[in-house]
Amino acid sequence: MITRDRLLIDGEWRTAKSSGRIPVTSPSTGLVIGEAPDATVDEINAAAMAARRSFDEGTWRLKSVEERAEVLDAAMTLLESNLDEIGRLVTSEMGLPTSIAQVQIPGALATGRYFLDVAKKDSPSEMRNTVYGPAAVVKEPVGVVASIAPWNGPFNMAISKIVPALVAGCSVVYKPAEETPLDGFFIAEALVEAGVPAGVFNYLTGDRDTGRALVAHQEVDKVSFTGSTMAGREIATECGASFKRLTLELGGKSAAIVLDDADIATTMVGLAIGSFFNTGQVCASYSRVLVPRSRLDEIVGALVATAESFVVGNPFDPSTTMGPLVSRRHQHRVLSYIENGRSAGATVATGGAVPAGLEHGCYVQPTVFTNADNAMRIAREEIFGPVVVVLPYDTVDEAVAIANDSDYGLHGAVFTTDPQRAADVARRVRTGTFSVNSFTYNTEAPFGGVKCSGVGRDTGPEAVQAYYELKTINLTQNMEHLFA
Ligand code: NAD
């Protein structure tokens, strides 16, 4: 049992005032494995005020970007010495198979270091000679950031949200998801130990009401939110009223378009990762697979075989390739979507149930639906599980139209052996991110969505830019050297 009873507020590990605790349940066993504090309104306020004070006093934001990067790099090094323990915790908290955690946790730290490099290479100001005279366009940190994350990649998500904000000079209050509050304590401890000044980073655990109170706090200048479209809509409304800056990374219903010349082996490698990675709990997942009617039987057969090739089970077993869903509640949600698909007339070509012998955990078999159409709820709503809907088409125009007939616009793919056709389709599908013959989460390029999938971009150099405001300083002559 891992009991955490303190919150990081203003540089101190304060014993949580509330008697409320969030139980952390392992989705692979159904057993409670830990607990974390449920932050009170006073603690949320104290964290936001500490972030404000530290920002206004400038203990962090007035350091050079190189100085900030050095401290954050030291924090990455401290985290590297705990890779195994963090990995085990993520596997216990959310069921990520060990074999994946072993790659994902060090990968997150490499991405953190990438953000430090990008920030150091970036120019903090740009001189412009305008008809009004010289002007300096200066990048300044946006201020106090409320950063709120989901559970589906708790450690890598935390690094990708915290490091860009801190290296840009912001002060941060971070809230992980209530399902996965434990691994982030390692990050908070590393930041303190590495020398991030008091108040610059605050770690609050709590539920959605904690998130709500944080978003509404008057001292928050920017909200960086990753989570469901429903919560994103509520947050956007709140931020709109107070003009808080906002980045929203929300849900998806991405389509993989398989063209009639696609290589079947390449396509199946892409779909195995794209549709089923992380038990389908990936915002960018290819949950719709668009298949030419001329090759429907062949591709459905291969997709069913791919789904059935997963070894579903205990995430601590090195041979497991698919772990459980994050919680019993989420398992029920996914199963109810499967039921909905069946009753709407779609056919379960494989899966569709809890795997035999794994009833104690939150498991669902990898599932492929056929005989579906794009109007069904299983094709329109984000299921966030290992459930794929195959949709047949006759022409490429029709495939593009089906892909675009969605409230979401996060990711998508085309599988083809013809680069020209790939480029044409890539241009026509309306999403923020797109992959050719693969499922690529490219942390060195902007990632994000259009339509109900969000606002703004995470990852790439753009992730750091999202934490700056631009200030124009109109200069008199002979001042240019002061902004070089
Ligand atoms: P969720 O929206 O229920 O919760 C996400 C986080 O927001 C949690 O920390 C929660 O406590 C908090 N929260 C919930 N409602 C809130 C509100 N009204 N105000 C403030 N905070 C609130 O989402 P989830 O179930 O944890 O995560 C799954 C969702 O996240 C899926 O929809 C998935 O697509 C999305 N997601 C998107 C991306 C992306 O980059 N686009 C990445 C990962 C996950």
Side-chain angles (χ1 to χ4, degrees):
M1 180 85 175
I2 303 159
T3 303
R4 292 286 195 165
D5 59 359
R6 289 168 192 227
L7 297 167
L8 178 62
I9 299 173
D10 209 3
E12 294 170 359
W13 284 103
R14 297 190 187 167
T15 305
K17 288 191 191 129
S18 134
S19 53
R21 292 285 182 271
I22 304 169
V24 183
T25 306
S26 165
S28 56
T29 61
L31 301 175
V32 174
I33 53 151
E35 61 177 31
D38 188 8
T40 62
V41 171
D42 283 352
E43 286 160 341
I44 298 164
N45 183 48
M49 295 308 289
R52 175 89 270 149
R53 182 196 49 73
S54 71
F55 188 80
D56 291 349
E57 287 176 0
T59 45
W60 180 250
R61 81 180 154 90
L62 296 178
K63 285 184 192 295
S64 70
V65 69
E66 287 78 13
E67 287 172 305
R68 290 194 297 263
E70 196 179 324
V71 173
L72 295 171
D73 190 69
M76 301 289 124
T77 304
L78 287 166
L79 287 165
E80 267 159 5
S81 60
N82 277 318
L83 287 180
D84 290 346
E85 204 175 339
I86 296 168
R88 274 197 299 278
L89 200 47
V90 173
T91 301
S92 304
E93 276 188 310
M94 68 151 296
L96 185 73
T98 316
S99 52
I100 301 171
Q102 279 165 352
V103 180
Q104 197 176 83
I105 308 299
L109 297 177
T111 302
R113 287 209 162 92
Y114 161 80
F115 290 132
L116 302 183
D117 283 345
V118 186
K120 283 191 288 185
K121 283 185 197 137
D122 191 23
S123 179
S125 63
E126 182 197 317
M127 281 306 307
R128 295 196 192 164
N129 288 314
T130 75
V131 289
Y132 306 96
V137 179
V138 180
K139 288 177 184 166
E140 296 191 338
V142 69
V144 172
V145 176
S147 197
I148 301 175
W151 42 260
N152 65 325
F155 186 79
N156 53 343
M157 189 77 67
I159 294 290
S160 291
K161 291 182 102 58
I162 294 166
V163 174
L166 288 181
V167 77
C170 294
S171 291
V172 174
V173 182
Y174 184 80
K175 191 198 92 62
E178 46 272 49
E179 292 84 352
T180 53
L182 298 176
D183 63 283
F185 281 94
F186 279 94
I187 301 176
E189 283 160 358
L191 290 170
V192 172
E193 197 179 333
V196 170
V200 171
F201 182 75
N202 305 272
Y203 190 74
L204 290 183
T205 51
D207 62 11
R208 58 191 52 223
D209 287 333
T210 311
R212 283 193 179 103
L214 196 52
V215 167
H217 199 282
Q218 77 275 8
E219 295 303 342
V220 167
D221 298 302
K222 168 164 180 145
V223 175
S224 167
F225 175 78
T226 304
S228 63
T229 293
M230 198 169 70
R233 191 169 278 124
E234 189 182 324
I235 290 167
T237 305
E238 174 67 39
C239 291
S242 51
F243 297 107
K244 289 183 174 111
R245 277 38 180 170
L246 186 61
T247 300
L248 294 173
E249 294 293 347
L250 308 176
K253 195 73 197 177
S254 302
I257 303 177
V258 184
L259 295 189
D260 55 9
D261 62 352
D263 174 65
I264 193 85
T266 308
T267 305
M268 289 308 132
V269 171
L271 294 182
I273 304 168
S275 301
F276 296 114
F277 179 72
N278 212 23
T279 321
Q281 302 168 116
V282 176
C283 52
S285 170
Y286 303 145
S287 47
R288 296 182 294 157
V289 176
L290 278 45
V291 176
R293 218 176 284 279
S294 58
R295 291 182 69 186
L296 188 61
D297 290 348
E298 174 203 1
I299 292 169
V300 167
L303 188 55
V304 164
T306 299
E308 290 174 352
S309 71
F310 280 91
V311 181
V312 183
N314 176 3
F316 282 102
D317 183 333
S319 63
T320 293
T321 54
M322 184 180 286
L325 292 162
V326 73
S327 65
R328 193 65 76 192
R329 190 168 67 97
H330 190 49
Q331 181 196 33
H332 288 156
R333 187 171 174 272
V334 171
L335 289 170
S336 76
Y337 268 112
I338 292 174
E339 219 26 67
N340 180 277
R342 275 198 183 100
S343 51
T347 304
V348 173
T350 186
V354 175
L358 291 175
E359 294 79 4
H360 55 281
C362 308
Y363 296 91
V364 170
Q365 290 170 326
T367 301
V368 176
F369 270 111
T370 55
N371 293 321
D373 68 56
N374 201 43
M376 291 179 179
R377 279 184 64 200
I378 53 167
R380 303 210 71 80
E381 297 178 18
E382 187 183 46
I383 299 174
F384 221 54
V387 181
V388 179
V389 181
V390 174
L391 300 167
Y393 70 84
D394 289 306
T395 64
V396 175
D397 284 351
E398 189 190 351
V400 170
I402 295 170
N404 286 337
D405 178 16
S406 173
D407 293 338
Y408 295 103
L410 190 55
H411 190 205
V414 62
F415 289 89
T416 172
T417 45
D418 182 337
Q420 183 61 55
R421 296 179 84 198
D424 290 346
V425 171
R427 286 199 177 90
R428 293 174 64 193
V429 176
R430 209 176 147 227
T431 57
T433 321
F434 202 80
S435 297
V436 176
N437 286 333
S438 70
F439 176 88
T440 305
Y441 180 58
N442 185 347
T443 54
E444 299 194 8
F447 173 81
V450 299
K451 302 195 270 183
C452 294
S453 290
V455 176
R457 295 293 178 266
D458 268 354
T459 72
E462 290 75 9
V464 180
Q465 301 305 323
Y467 293 100
Y468 291 128
E469 288 274 18
L470 295 181
K471 181 193 270 180
T472 296
I473 306 178
N474 294 301
L475 308 175
T476 53
Q477 298 301 330
N478 305 322
M479 279 184 76
E480 288 96 326
H481 65 286
L482 299 173
F483 291 93

